Every structure is written in structure tokens, then in C-alpha cells.
């Protein structure tokens, strides 16, 4: 594993999180694009945790500088949501948006482990690795529709129409197009399946489609009230404040 981030505190946090994970070895750290390229070429890691905005070459320039067949599994770790589309186009496996919690980090790490195991089992030659990772990433692309049971039938709900999802023990309640659907699914697992560029956890039990947020009202103690179509109002959790502000472009306000 190689960690690349120009912020020492960000690297320290990743180092701390990785220290608690079995079977993970941090082989190098880098604080710039140029250092990252050198670290990857000299250590050939399985996974690269990569910041985007760094001196001497941003994260995308790093990937372009790596020779074919020498690109590890890449998980972008950044404070900027606006690069998400570009990151997936650059074949990133996952996109961790700061501030992320341990649960989200472990989900990304699990996906990286699975990809590495698949590549190793395939015994593919090096020049095939990038092609396989690309195919795997496409196979795991966020679904456009969700199959849900309703009235004895299977309905296919357009993910773009989902306004929000609420956790209810081992089930979730999906709100879409003025209807509600119950799925036997945890909120965490569903969050991992849905498009991270669109869906954001705003409370431990609520996932919101940012495209449907119409208004935001600041409350006391760092909370917000999000207004959605149909008179729906959702209170955010205090621990999710920074993430909500980043996602909705409130940084610096």
C-alpha cells in the first residue's frame, strides 16, 4: 500500500486507519505527484491511496505518468467532490470524500482487497492488469435502477428518482417519485452500491440524493434541515456537517 497526500495530518490519519487492518503493509508515503510516481515504481504496491491536489503533479498526472501495466488499484482520497467523475473516468476503484469515517474507509479497503485477490488469482500478465481492473470497475458501476418488491411484484426504481433512503433496522425505506419501497438491505450496503457522486449520508440513518435537495436551513449545534420535494424535511447529523457542506458547495461560507 502507498499513501500519497501533501497534508501530513491526512497521511497520519490514513496511517492510523491502516494500522488497524490485518494483512496491510504500508510500504511508502508521498507528499507530491513526483514522489508518488517514484514510490509506486520502486515499491510496486497493490493499492494506491491517492490525493488529487498535490504539488509537482496532481493525482491524475500521477496516473498518466505511470507506465502501462504498473498502475495499482487506485482509491482517490480527496476533499473535492468536483473531481469524482474524472476520477472514475481515470479508472479509480473508489472515491473517498473527506471527511470520511472509519466505516466508509473500511468499505473502500474491502473493495480494494477483493480486486487485488481477483487479479492475483487470474495470474494475468502485467500488461493485462489495467484492462482487467477497468472491466471490473465497469462491472461494478453504480446501478441505474434498483429492483424492489412491491405488491407481490418486482418493481425497478430509477435511482435518479430516489429522493432519500431511511434505515429501519435490517431494512431500508426507499422514497422515490412520491412512493415508498421497503428493501431487506442495510443502509451501509446500499450506500456502497449507489453512485457516490449523487448519494450522500447526511445522518447515520439517512441517505439523500443531492439532486433533490431544494433548500438548506442552518439549525443549532451544526445541524441543517434539508428540504426535498413534497414537503419532506430531513435533519442532518452533527457529525456529518463538514461532509454536507462540501457536497453542497458551502465551503468558506
Amino acid at each position: 500500500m502507498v499513501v500519497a497526500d501533501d497534508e501530513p495530518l491526512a497521511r497520519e490519519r490514513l496511517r492510523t486507519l491502516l494500522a488497524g487492518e490485518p494483512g496491510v503493509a504500508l510500504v511508502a508515503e508521498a507528499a507530491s505527484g513526483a514522489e508518488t510516481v517514484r514510490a509506486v515504481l520502486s515499491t510496486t504496491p497493490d493499492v494506491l491511496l491517492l490525493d488529487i491536489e498535490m504539488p509537482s503533479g496532481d493525482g491524475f498526472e500521477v496516473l498518466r505518468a505511470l507506465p502501462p501495466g504498473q498502475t495499482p488499484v487506485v482509491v482517490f482520497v480527496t476533499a473535492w467532490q468536483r473531481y469524482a467523475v474524472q476520477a472514475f473516468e481515470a479508472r479509480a476503484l473508489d472515491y473517498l470524500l473527506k471527511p470520511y469515517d472509519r466505516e466508509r474507509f473500511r468499505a473502500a479497503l474491502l473493495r480494494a482487497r477483493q480486486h487485488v485477490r481477483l487479479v492475483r488469482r487470474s495470474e494475468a500478465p502485467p500488461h493485462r492488469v489495467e484492462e482487467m481492473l477497468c472491466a471490473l470497475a465497469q462491472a461494478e458501476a453504480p446501478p441505474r435502477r434498483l429492483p424492489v418488491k412491491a405488491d407481490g411484484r418486482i418493481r425497478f426504481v430509477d435511482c435518479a428518482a430516489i429522493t432519500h433512503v431511511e434505515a429501519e433496522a435490517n431494512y431500508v425505506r426507499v422514497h422515490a417519485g412520491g412512493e415508498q419501497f421497503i428493501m431487506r438491505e442495510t443502509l451501509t450496503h446500499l450506500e456502497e452500491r449507489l453512485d457516490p457522486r449523487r448519494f450522500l449520508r447526511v445522518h447515520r440513518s439517512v441517505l439523500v440524493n443531492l439532486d433533490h435537495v431544494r433548500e438548506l436551513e442552518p439549525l443549532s449545534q451544526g445541524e441543517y434541515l434539508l428540504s426535498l420535494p413534497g414537503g419532506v424535511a430531513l435533519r442532518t447529523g452533527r457529525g456529518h456537517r463538514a461532509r454536507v457542506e462540501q457536497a453542497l458547495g458551502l465551503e468558506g461560507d
Side-chain angles (χ1 to χ4, degrees):
M1 180 86 65
V2 165
V3 167
D5 198 308
D6 64 329
E7 299 178 11
L9 289 178
R11 295 199 303 277
E12 181 180 350
R13 172 162 171 70
L14 289 171
R15 198 184 309 128
T16 300
L17 291 171
L18 290 171
E21 297 296 333
V24 174
L26 179 59
V27 296
E29 294 184 23
S32 70
E35 286 183 14
T36 305
V37 173
R38 288 195 293 270
V40 170
L41 294 179
S42 62
T43 63
T44 60
D46 292 317
V47 180
L48 172 61
L49 301 181
L50 181 61
D51 189 16
I52 292 181
E53 295 197 346
M54 296 188 294
S56 303
D58 63 25
F60 300 111
E61 291 173 315
V62 167
L63 298 186
R64 286 194 292 270
L66 293 173
Q70 296 192 42
T71 302
V73 172
V74 175
V75 175
F76 277 108
V77 186
T78 177
W80 305 102
Q81 188 181 32
R82 63 174 177 264
Y83 296 117
V85 173
Q86 188 177 354
F88 285 110
E89 289 175 347
R91 302 181 182 182
L93 175 70
D94 208 337
Y95 195 85
L96 274 178
L97 189 63
K98 301 174 185 176
Y100 52 86
D101 56 25
R102 180 180 289 272
E103 187 179 30
R104 180 68 181 89
F105 174 81
R106 297 192 74 173
L109 186 61
L110 175 61
R111 293 189 68 196
R113 287 179 189 269
Q114 292 171 337
H115 274 68
V116 170
R117 279 197 292 269
L118 283 172
V119 171
R120 285 178 174 172
R121 279 206 299 265
S122 74
E123 297 182 350
H127 71 274
R128 289 280 299 152
V129 173
E130 277 195 66
E131 297 175 14
M132 293 181 62
L133 291 176
C134 181
L136 288 167
Q138 291 175 348
E140 295 189 0
R144 290 189 303 106
R145 301 191 299 174
L146 286 182
V148 298
K149 294 181 179 178
D151 302 325
R153 295 173 295 172
I154 303 295
R155 294 269 302 273
F156 292 93
V157 177
D158 189 345
C159 293
I162 297 174
T163 57
H164 62 294
V165 183
E166 297 173 294
E168 296 185 4
N170 291 325
Y171 293 83
V172 293
R173 184 180 297 274
V174 178
H175 299 257
E179 298 183 271
Q180 299 181 23
F181 306 93
I182 300 295
M183 295 178 63
R184 185 174 178 78
E185 179 83 270
T186 65
L187 192 65
T188 297
H189 188 226
L190 185 59
E191 180 184 15
E192 292 170 6
R193 293 174 57 195
L194 294 173
D195 190 342
R197 295 165 292 183
R198 172 174 286 161
F199 289 90
L200 179 73
R201 183 83 73 100
V202 298
H203 188 278
R204 63 182 173 82
S205 60
V206 180
L207 190 64
V208 165
N209 185 339
L210 296 171
D211 293 342
H212 290 282
V213 175
R214 297 289 178 266
E215 191 173 284
L216 178 147
E217 178 185 349
L219 303 177
S220 61
Q221 300 181 334
E223 298 174 333
Y224 289 107
L225 195 65
L226 304 180
S227 295
L228 278 66
V232 176
L234 300 172
R235 182 186 290 265
T236 67
R238 285 196 296 272
H240 297 73
R241 175 180 179 173
R243 182 182 297 183
V244 170
E245 290 176 343
Q246 285 179 356
L248 295 175
L250 299 177
E251 296 166 299
D253 289 350

